[in-house]
Amino acid sequence: EVQLVESGGGLVQSGGSLRLSCAASGLTFDDCAMSWVRQAPGKGLEWLSTIYPGIGNTYYADSIVGRFTVTTDNAENTVFLQMSSLESEDTAVYYCVTGVVDMFEYWGQGTLVTISS
């Protein structure tokens, strides 16, 4: 059974930083694409980033380039999303998912990030 467990969300002031973690199990981590998506209040899903742990390739949405960085710890089957220069528009539930855009398969439970001004 594939499980994705996110952690690291919370309340942070505008301009601050936060690191999200996603621990994956039940899959071959190096063979997967791991993505982060978010859903802001009253809005649809927004893809943020994809990383291929086996080769290290990373991809980012324009809205977060230069502010967010995705990395992995392959020994721990964990993917991270380091977020900096956070803005109120970054308030959302953040999800770790397997797969790529239009082909997401497994989802974590989500972690809430709230940015206060």
Side-chain angles (χ1 to χ4, degrees):
E1 179 188 5
V2 175
Q3 286 191 322
L4 304 174
V5 180
E6 297 107 334
S7 60
L11 176 65
V12 64
Q13 287 189 328
S14 180
S17 299
L18 208 58
R19 190 178 80 156
L20 307 182
S21 300
C22 171
S25 60
L27 50 75
T28 304
F29 194 65
D30 286 2
D31 291 345
C32 292
M34 301 295 298
S35 298
W36 288 96
V37 300
R38 69 184 178 187
Q39 186 165 28
K43 296 189 177 181
L45 289 170
E46 178 187 11
W47 169 78
L48 299 176
S49 181
T50 297
I51 186 167
Y52 290 84
I55 56 176
N57 286 15
T58 57
Y59 303 88
Y60 297 97
D62 289 344
S63 61
I64 65 165
V65 168
R67 298 192 301 125
F68 292 9
T69 302
V70 63
T71 58
T72 61
D73 180 340
N74 289 12
E76 298 294 330
N77 284 7
T78 300
V79 58
F80 304 99
L81 186 67
Q82 178 68 48
M83 307 184 293
S84 60
S85 302
L86 287 163
E87 308 162 349
S88 58
E89 291 77 14
D90 296 315
T91 294
V93 178
Y94 286 70
Y95 296 94
C96 171
V97 299
T98 63
V100 299
V101 175
D102 292 333
M103 291 192 287
F104 297 137
E105 186 171 8
Y106 297 100
W107 293 69
Q109 83 283 2
T111 187
L112 177 62
V113 172
T114 304
I115 312 303
S116 63
S117 56

